[in-house]
Amino acid sequence: MRIARYLFYTGNYKQSIDYMILSDNTNQMLADAYYYSGNYENALIIYKKYIL
């Protein structure tokens, strides 16, 4: 998860998504990474399923 967090905070959202999926991390950061990378549909799914 450290690698995913580093990639996220350095702006590499698409790469961080891959690491988060591999670590089964389905939380706010994964949803944000999808959102910032332009994948709004997946971001909305995660927001609805795990956050709301």
Side-chain angles (χ1 to χ4, degrees):
M1 185 58 197
R2 286 184 192 175
I3 295 170
R5 189 167 283 137
Y6 170 78
L7 290 168
F8 179 84
Y9 289 124
T10 57
N12 295 312
Y13 304 115
K14 290 184 180 183
Q15 283 182 306
S16 71
I17 289 168
D18 294 336
Y19 280 99
M20 285 185 236
I21 290 172
L22 287 174
S23 66
D24 292 328
N25 190 355
T26 52
N27 62 11
Q28 181 78 38
M29 187 180 285
L30 179 56
D32 289 344
Y34 274 126
Y35 179 81
Y36 294 136
S37 68
N39 196 334
Y40 305 114
E41 193 171 309
N42 281 351
L44 185 61
I45 290 169
I46 293 172
Y47 280 129
K48 284 181 177 179
K49 189 172 184 180
Y50 297 103
I51 298 170
L52 296 178

